[in-house]
Amino acid sequence: MTVAPVLRPEFDAELRAGLAVVGGMFPPTITADLIDFMRVSYASPPMDDVLRDRGIAREEHVAPGHLGDPLQVSVLRPPGQDGPRPAVVYAHSGGLMFGDRFSGIDLVLDWVDRMGAVLVTVEYRLAPEFPDPYPREDMYAALEWTASHADALGIRPDRLVVAGASAGGGLAAGMALAARDRGGPPLVGQVLDYPMLDDRGITTSMHQFDGVGVWDRVSNQTGWRALLGDTCGTEAVSPYAAPSRAGDVRGLPPAFIDVGAAEVFRDEAIAYADALWRAGGDAELHVWSGAFHACDIFAPHTAVGQSMIKARNTWLETILAD
């Protein structure tokens, strides 16, 4: 019996050349037995020199997380900060299982030293040791802490944005939903970079990328099962954990959503933008031709990577302005 080939979009030629290098650090397929490896491989490098070279000041705080447990929070300030500044509460990438508060942060340092925003990045707790609701409630607690300490942190509570990449993008979307439903801090925007939104794994794009690219169908299943356990795929899953499950997305802040055309999250990202539009909301959606997952993190020098970064920064600069 002949098995028909899987039809899927091709990777951009420039990006395809970099995939072999990426695979040594971030294999296409991540199973539970690779979590410990990924926690070493995907750990962020020391940031002090990078921040010093860009003139960014760093403060370390301990904030109450879920159940009041202590969370490490880094506050990054723009050079020569004069008066209260807009702020972004940031959730890092890593499939909910690995990464740290500085993972992938090189891409958003422009928000600090070029746009003058204060960046609050959070060491939320990771699955499977800390399953749902720990990661999302840690992030929401950090958002509440940021807003309640606005004066001390030198930020404007009327210019708060939530942002994240991949798993962090899903957490950012969950924060926006929770803030709306709980009467939490008012948000002026949400940046959802190739967000991890749906535990059900039912889209076409989820089944087009097995064993290729970065973060395939099996990797996604590993992450969601680490977070949700036996509830994964059932009606017991909270929309704050898997925002694609939200039945009502009215009243959410404007969203920037970007995703690769050649990655598993393509269809759920498009569907979330469409849901926001149908609910009368505002979303700017970019689907990048030939882009694999998180290619702007792994290959920021490429034409596609540079275009992604520029579009995101342009949108955020507009949102943060008065």
Side-chain angles (χ1 to χ4, degrees):
M1 178 178 177
T2 302
V3 178
V6 175
L7 298 177
R8 57 175 173 250
E10 294 291 332
F11 295 122
D12 171 84
E14 189 182 17
L15 292 175
R16 187 168 59 244
L19 270 177
V21 177
V22 173
M25 179 185 73
F26 205 115
T29 301
I30 297 169
T31 51
D33 60 301
L34 289 177
I35 294 175
D36 287 342
F37 165 78
M38 292 304 303
R39 288 179 175 174
V40 175
S41 177
Y42 197 61
S44 62
M47 294 299 298
D48 289 341
D49 289 345
V50 173
L51 298 178
R52 188 183 306 110
D53 290 346
R54 299 183 69 145
I56 295 173
R58 170 181 170 184
E59 297 174 0
E60 294 297 323
H61 296 268
V62 176
H66 181 47
L67 304 178
D69 298 335
L71 288 182
Q72 191 72 26
V73 174
S74 294
V75 178
L76 306 183
R77 299 186 177 283
Q81 180 178 349
D82 182 19
R85 303 299 305 163
V88 180
V89 177
Y90 186 75
H92 69 78
S93 55
L96 300 165
M97 302 173 290
F98 44 86
D100 56 60
R101 65 191 183 280
F102 296 117
S103 296
I105 208 167
D106 287 9
L107 294 185
V108 298
L109 291 181
D110 284 352
W111 303 353
V112 182
D113 62 353
R114 296 186 184 178
M115 297 184 200
V118 174
L119 187 72
V120 180
T121 185
V122 183
E123 199 75 23
Y124 63 84
R125 285 169 285 184
L126 299 172
E129 293 87 346
F130 293 96
D132 187 64
Y134 279 90
R136 61 179 168 93
E137 292 299 339
D138 279 351
M139 286 304 310
Y140 185 75
L143 173 63
E144 291 271 18
W145 175 85
T146 300
S148 66
H149 290 76
D151 288 344
L153 295 173
I155 67 173
R156 291 179 53 179
D158 66 331
R159 278 292 178 273
L160 270 178
V161 170
V162 293
S166 193
L171 290 170
M175 277 192 285
L177 286 165
R180 179 200 64 180
D181 295 345
R182 300 174 187 179
L187 302 173
V188 296
Q190 51 181 325
V191 179
L192 314 180
D193 293 329
Y194 28 84
M196 183 177 177
L197 298 168
D198 197 339
D199 63 295
R200 292 166 292 190
I202 55 177
T203 65
T204 296
S205 61
M206 188 61 64
H207 293 268
Q208 286 181 309
F209 299 93
D210 265 354
V212 294
V214 171
W215 196 258
D216 68 358
R217 179 186 62 84
V218 173
S219 301
N220 198 56
Q221 186 177 64
T222 300
W224 282 116
R225 289 198 175 278
L227 181 74
L228 300 172
D230 291 340
T231 67
C232 184
T234 73
E235 293 307 307
V237 175
S238 168
Y240 303 137
S244 286
R245 291 176 171 271
D248 181 3
V249 294
R250 291 174 294 178
L252 291 174
F256 178 92
I257 302 173
D258 67 344
V259 71
E263 67 157 295
V264 293
F265 292 144
R266 181 194 67 219
D267 294 348
E268 61 197 66
I270 293 170
Y272 200 67
D274 185 59
L276 292 171
W277 293 324
R278 288 173 180 269
D282 181 16
E284 180 169 321
L285 172 67
H286 293 260
V287 182
W288 297 99
S289 178
F292 61 78
H293 181 64
C295 66
D296 56 338
I297 291 178
F298 295 112
H301 60 284
T302 60
V304 175
Q306 286 292 302
S307 296
M308 292 173 72
I309 294 165
K310 181 179 179 181
R312 182 184 308 129
N313 289 356
T314 298
W315 183 90
L316 184 63
E317 191 166 21
T318 301
I319 286 292
L320 294 180
D322 285 316

